[in-house]
Amino acid sequence: MTHRGAGRFAPTPSGQLHLGNLRTAVLAWLFARSTGRRFLIRVEDLDRVRAGAEAEHLAELAALGLTPDSPVTRQSEQGERYDRALDHLRGRGLVYECFCTRRDVAEAASAPHARTGFYPGTCRDLDEGERERRRALRAPALRLRSGVDSWSVTDLLAGRTEGPVDDLVLRRNDGVIAYNLAVVVDDAADGIDQVVRGDDLLDSAPRQAHLASLLGLPAPAYAHVPLAVTGSGRRLAKRDGAVTLEDLAALGRTAPEVLELLLTSLGLPGSSLEDALAVFAPDALPQIPWVVDPAVLSSTPAPPACNPSVPTDKVSP
Ligand code: GLU
């Protein structure tokens, strides 16, 4: 099956990739390949970059067999695209300067009747004199004049999902392009029409799909996949123990063994990506978070630490 579109994995080169991130990357590859799409990797390095993290992430993904079909792209190299998108929105009167501090936004959001996490449009209708006065005090962020309160997307796993859309930030007051704008512009520019990522980002999808529509871009197909969590239900983090390829290598776990652990946690044959691909069916994926017990991972001889609902007995020591 061939398809002109692409799927992608888009790591942020700040921390290390842990088992949850790697599992999402495997899923992004499986979703793309099983639908005949190309698989791409985009480094989201507009903010919070750690020296060496990009090379480390790419090497770890490659060790699992996750190599992109086109050269890796970096958001830090796409400034012109983002400026063009901002100009397009400006031309439609959809951008305004916002002088609110984080604290202003937090206070507005905690006011009676405020919608949680919803920017109430404090700076939307400032007149030019007022903006001029405020510019002298603080560099403005740029916000979208969104025009809608909510938007719906259809997620391959979560189904139809409606979510709030507010006047989101397009460019921060330090000049950095905001995540939502960069993602939407890059996905469309790179021919990405399938977005597979952790379900902590499901809330962002309606905002991003709405922004895409304002930019005249198609929204991608979305699949927000369950996260890896600890036994107490908290999202897995580096501090939870041996949860990165590097940590696990130090315990003698090879990359193929970690791949096997990840595939097995998905209820798939753990022998190889190709074998998993042969039977991959989104409907059969576990719909619940993957519970990882790092203590079990660190113990010898075998590291299975997965949902009780899926087989865990295939990991080599
Ligand atoms: N860079 C984001 C992350 O590392 C993913 C963003 C996306 O997939 O849209 O969580």
Side-chain angles (χ1 to χ4, degrees):
M1 185 184 356
T2 53
H3 190 289
R4 282 177 29 249
R8 48 71 159 185
F9 182 63
T12 302
S14 50
Q16 282 182 285
L17 295 177
H18 60 54
L19 289 169
N21 307 125
L22 295 171
R23 188 177 189 250
T24 299
V26 166
L27 280 167
W29 187 93
L30 288 167
F31 269 95
R33 281 283 183 276
S34 64
T35 52
R37 289 176 165 88
R38 290 173 301 131
F39 173 71
L40 306 180
I41 296 180
R42 176 175 71 234
V43 177
E44 301 210 322
D45 58 352
L46 288 177
D47 193 20
R48 294 183 295 124
V49 172
R50 175 173 61 83
E54 176 190 318
E56 187 186 289
H57 288 189
L58 297 177
E60 290 180 347
L61 294 168
L64 296 181
L66 306 173
T67 48
D69 295 316
S70 300
V72 169
T73 57
R74 286 171 199 84
Q75 290 190 322
S76 57
E77 294 168 359
Q78 310 297 352
E80 280 175 28
R81 275 181 187 176
Y82 307 140
D83 289 344
R84 276 200 303 276
L86 275 175
D87 284 346
H88 177 93
L89 294 171
R90 253 193 220 104
R92 297 187 54 196
L94 295 175
V95 179
Y96 67 88
E97 291 173 319
C98 171
F99 301 90
C100 293
T101 60
R102 269 176 204 275
R103 190 165 161 192
D104 295 334
V105 174
E107 278 173 12
S110 63
H113 313 301
R115 290 175 68 179
T116 318
F118 203 87
Y119 179 69
T122 319
C123 294
R124 190 185 292 157
D125 297 316
L126 299 179
D127 62 31
E128 181 50 27
E130 185 60 20
R131 286 203 300 266
E132 190 68 50
R133 194 183 69 74
R134 295 197 191 193
R135 267 183 224 127
L137 303 172
R138 180 182 167 79
L142 299 180
R143 281 191 185 269
L144 177 72
R145 194 180 292 279
S146 88
V148 300
D149 280 351
S150 67
W151 197 258
S152 294
V153 297
T154 301
D155 185 272
L156 289 170
L157 300 180
R160 191 181 144 87
T161 304
E162 185 170 336
V165 175
D166 65 353
D167 286 359
L168 51 92
V169 172
L170 299 168
R171 195 180 71 195
R172 302 183 337 198
N173 99 310
D174 61 3
V176 175
I177 293 294
Y179 158 70
N180 283 310
L181 179 65
V183 163
V184 167
V185 169
D186 286 333
D187 283 342
D190 295 334
I192 289 163
D193 62 352
Q194 181 190 60
V195 168
V196 176
R197 57 188 177 190
D199 63 12
D200 54 330
L201 288 169
L202 181 59
D203 287 355
S204 301
R207 289 188 171 83
Q208 292 173 4
H210 174 243
L211 184 53
S213 83
L214 293 178
L215 286 164
L217 303 172
Y222 292 103
H224 289 86
V225 301
L227 298 180
V229 298
T230 62
S232 60
R234 186 174 43 72
R235 194 190 314 180
L236 192 69
K238 162 79 183 120
R239 64 175 179 281
D240 290 320
V243 294
T244 66
L245 271 191
E246 187 188 8
D247 299 335
L248 289 163
L251 296 171
R253 314 284 181 214
T254 64
E257 286 170 357
V258 176
L259 179 65
E260 185 170 6
L261 171 70
L262 298 173
L263 291 172
T264 306
S265 81
L266 293 165
L268 294 166
S271 39
S272 71
L273 281 173
E274 295 301 332
D275 286 355
L277 179 61
V279 297
F280 178 69
D283 290 350
L285 286 174
Q287 298 273 346
I288 52 172
W290 178 39
V291 181
V292 177
D293 179 351
V296 178
L297 282 172
S298 318
S299 70
T300 49
C306 316
N307 292 331
S309 58
V310 295
T312 59
D313 56 348
K314 291 198 176 161
V315 180
S316 314

